[in-house]
Amino acid sequence: MITKKKRIDGQVIARDVISSIQSETKKLIQETHVTPGLAVILVGENPASLIYVASKSQKANDCGFHSIQRTLPADSTEEEVLNHIRKLNDDQTIHGILVQLPLPDHINEKTVIQTVAAEKDVDGFHPLNVGKLGRGDLSSTFIPCTPAGVMLLIRRFLGDDLSGLNAIVIGRSNIVGKPMAHLLLNANCTVTIAHSQTNNLSKLTRITDIVVVAVGQPQMVKRDWIKPGAMVIDVGINRIVTSEHGERKFRLIGDVDYEGALVNAAYVTPVPGGVGPMTVALLMANTLASACRFAGYKIPKF
Ligand code: GUN
């Protein structure tokens, strides 16, 4: 089926998507006078979240969007956060609202997610949008950004119709695993969802054409788990400490033994530089799509 070995460069593909978003945004503004608006809310100062949020706001600026970022103190009450979201729901210049997760413990994540207007929920976390994805009603929902980015990579290399292919999603989170499985099913894959309680996992992966891993276990997926010719997508980002010349260093590694997987696989995404850049690019695509819906303009496909 698939023969040529390849490293999938998410950075190059994400750049290509961003460049298309920039030109589509210009067209939308010229023809409708609607500028896509993205609001990113961060509660508290989780160091990783600060970096993610800054990069999302920056990318929105790069795309030519109206971009606002609000950082609320960690001790904000739930009602203060909800009021903030309600104001953005009513703001006609904002088409996408993202509340960075995780939230401080005293704030109910479910309540926050349900308060974001479904038509501005560019994360695709609102139950209405989750339900539409489950029904395969993709044209009127928002697909969560990481699985949407993974699907774009898969489509670029394997095409739109994955009929006859087996896929396995390792991990069952609401943000990645579950929506990922729905998307693969929708593209006609035969899908297995595996998780921490799955027996004989490597036996399952060895017969599978598309392996998506999102578990947060450094290099869990080994070389001999991979079917010859498979496509392997690594969503994991694990920060590990190494020692170089007696100096402590941090390194990012994925859930897959990348070099090992390359031996058998046709395609493997590296970490960093694989799925990560795609997530931010698809957030921009969702925001543009939301603005297009608002303006009654055709939604571009990437
Ligand atoms: N935290 C980690 N990933 C995400 C994401 O995709 N969206 C939001 N809102 N928070 C996150």
Side-chain angles (χ1 to χ4, degrees), residues 1 4 8 15 26 48 76 106 119 139 146 158 163-165 167 193 205 209 226 255 272 293 296 299:
M1 180 200 47
K4 212 168 134 219
I8 296 181
R15 228 178 277 137
K26 272 191 199 138
S76 304
H106 66 281
E119 67 275 13
S139 62
T146 300
L158 304 185
S163 295
L165 297 182
I193 306 175
T205 57
D209 307 296
I226 306 301
D255 291 348
R293 273 185 205 143
I299 297 173

Side-chain angles (χ1 to χ4, degrees), residues 41 49 52 56 98-102 123 125 144-146 175 279:
I41 301 174
S49 293
Y52 291 137
K56 289 169 185 177
L98 179 145
V99 183
Q100 186 67 25
L101 304 179
D123 257 329
F125 295 167
C145 306
T146 300
I175 295 184
T279 297

Side-chain angles (χ1 to χ4, degrees), residues 44-171:
E45 290 181 357
N46 176 317
S49 293
L50 275 169
I51 295 169
Y52 291 137
V53 159
S55 102
K56 289 169 185 177
S57 299
Q58 178 60 47
K59 201 55 91 182
N61 279 322
D62 294 347
C63 287
F65 295 176
H66 165 53
S67 163
I68 61 177
Q69 187 189 322
R70 299 274 181 267
T71 305
L72 308 180
D75 61 357
S76 304
T77 64
E78 186 174 298
E79 201 47 32
E80 281 167 339
V81 176
L82 298 183
N83 277 336
H84 218 85
I85 296 170
R86 289 183 190 114
K87 267 191 219 137
L88 292 165
N89 284 343
D90 292 338
D91 184 339
Q92 297 288 296
T93 69
I94 294 297
H95 308 98
I97 302 170
L98 179 145
V99 183
Q100 186 67 25
L101 304 179
L103 289 162
D105 289 344
H106 66 281
I107 298 176
N108 187 314
E109 184 181 296
K110 259 196 212 166
T111 312
V112 166
I113 287 172
Q114 292 184 19
T115 301
V116 173
E119 67 275 13
K120 297 190 179 186
D121 167 40
V122 283
D123 257 329
F125 295 167
H126 191 285
L128 193 73
N129 289 322
V130 174
K132 285 181 178 178
L133 175 60
R135 284 178 50 87
D137 188 2
L138 303 194
S139 62
S140 71
T141 187
F142 291 105
I143 299 167
C145 306
T146 300
V150 171
M151 213 55 214
L152 193 148
L153 293 178
I154 294 174
R155 285 207 329 265
R156 291 234 170 160
F157 290 88
L158 304 185
D160 284 337
D161 185 0
L162 307 177
S163 295
L165 297 182
N166 291 321
I168 190 164
V169 180
I170 309 177

